[in-house]
Amino acid sequence: MAGRVEGKVAFITGAARGQGRSHALRLAQEGADIIAIDVCRRVPYEVSAAATEEDLAETERQVKGLGRRIVAKQADVRDFDAVKAAVEEGVSILGRLDIVSANAGVVGTPTTTESLPEDEWRTMIDINLTGVWHTVKAAIPSLKNAGRGGSIILTSSVAGLRGYANMAHYVSAKHGVVGLTRTLAMELAADSIRVNSLHPTQVNTDMIHNQPIYDLFAGKQGATKAEFAAASSRLQMLPVPWVEPVDISNALLFLASDEARYITGAALAIDAGSSLL
């Protein structure tokens, strides 16, 4: 049987590891070729460890191991020209573009709004909101010119549906992604390009497994992973502390496939019920 996205090409940002790598592999398993970018260096104020060039190379290796083609480039979503060049090179090699996953993002450093440095606010908005805009702005011409429609999936967060104390910069950026999603859905509908947002709860990646995030959720300094897990579990309706990257990738696959051909402007929560609490 043909895969659910057989013969299509997906552009994925933040693809070196975590959710981005998971998205690349899940789409490749279902027949897609991949254009992958990642900054592959440390971002100021980010509490999780930086992805590396070796991480991106590993994503490339694994996609090829699935028998699919991949064009992998180091690029920063804050740099529109770099993102645009990566898309254009990928399309020239792979021949088309059908799916866009604006996944790249950072969690920043937990802090009160009054203590948040100006530069950290700007860094967060530049990556988690402007970087998403750059991604779609770079990809839309290829989608439109092909005349085949397409699917754009923007990664927001459960923090795009509710507030979290001490995360004003992150919450604001992720709420902004929802507004961008709805506007793009309206603008691109006539071209049969669907635009939806994903809203994960905590995902089992390096982004949540670090001391500042443990301390934030547990409400104490020096919190252990077990204490974080217990506190995180209380924020979900289902009895789990976090979900796995593939859970988000399966949702992305659905939105990218023809199974979701009439879904646009939607905010899909993969949050174990967190947004209802």
Side-chain angles (χ1 to χ4, degrees):
M1 293 178 62
R4 292 154 75 186
V5 289
E6 188 73 33
K8 294 185 178 182
V9 172
F11 172 46
I12 303 171
T13 66
R17 64 179 187 183
Q19 292 183 56
R21 178 187 289 172
S22 178
H23 297 345
L25 297 179
R26 190 70 189 92
L27 292 175
Q29 287 168 352
E30 293 286 338
D33 294 325
I34 307 296
I35 304 167
I37 68 169
D38 202 294
V39 66
C40 297
R41 67 172 185 270
R42 184 183 178 277
V43 172
Y45 307 106
E46 176 59 10
V47 295
S48 62
T52 65
E53 293 180 44
E54 290 75 19
D55 290 327
L56 185 58
E58 178 61 17
T59 296
E60 183 176 13
R61 186 192 69 78
Q62 291 191 36
V63 169
K64 288 180 177 178
L66 293 168
R68 306 310 309 179
R69 296 179 296 165
I70 179 171
V71 176
K73 295 291 177 182
Q74 189 173 345
D76 189 332
V77 293
R78 292 172 290 184
D79 183 345
F80 174 71
D81 290 338
V83 176
K84 183 172 181 286
V87 171
E88 291 176 348
E89 180 177 350
V91 171
S92 71
I93 293 171
L94 301 178
R96 58 188 292 164
L97 181 63
D98 307 275
I99 301 159
V100 177
S101 168
N103 164 79
V106 294
V107 70
T109 302
T111 188
T112 61
T113 302
E114 65 193 68
S115 302
L116 188 63
E118 293 280 326
D119 189 50
E120 183 171 0
W121 173 274
R122 283 190 293 268
T123 298
M124 176 66 70
I125 300 301
D126 284 350
I127 295 171
N128 283 19
L129 183 55
T130 303
V132 173
W133 171 55
H134 283 165
T135 300
V136 295
K137 183 180 179 183
I140 285 169
S142 294
L143 292 172
K144 280 188 171 182
N145 292 340
R148 293 185 295 264
S151 178
I152 298 174
I153 302 114
L154 310 185
T155 298
S156 179
S157 166
V158 69
L161 302 174
R162 55 168 291 180
Y164 285 93
N166 303 314
M167 295 296 291
H169 49 348
Y170 184 80
V171 171
S172 297
K174 292 302 188 178
H175 272 71
V177 170
V178 177
L180 181 59
T181 298
R182 292 170 177 166
T183 298
L184 288 168
M186 297 174 73
E187 291 181 0
L188 299 176
D191 293 287
S192 297
I193 300 170
R194 300 179 293 105
V195 188
N196 297 287
S197 57
L198 291 175
H199 297 264
T201 186
Q202 286 77 252
V203 183
N204 189 19
T205 68
D206 290 341
M207 186 172 280
I208 67 166
H209 289 302
N210 55 78
Q211 196 61 54
I213 297 299
Y214 288 0
D215 294 351
L216 173 69
F217 279 79
K220 57 176 283 188
Q221 295 295 311
T224 65
K225 182 176 180 179
E227 289 172 324
F228 164 66
S232 183
S233 294
R234 292 192 289 272
L235 295 176
Q236 269 82 239
M237 290 176 63
L238 299 177
V240 294
W242 48 70
V243 298
E244 297 300 324
V246 72
D247 296 312
I248 317 306
S249 300
N250 285 334
L252 182 138
L253 171 63
F254 167 68
L255 290 175
S257 75
D258 290 341
E259 295 169 11
R261 61 182 178 168
Y262 297 131
I263 299 176
T264 194
L268 178 56
I270 312 95
D271 69 344
S274 177
S275 57
L276 298 178
L277 296 178

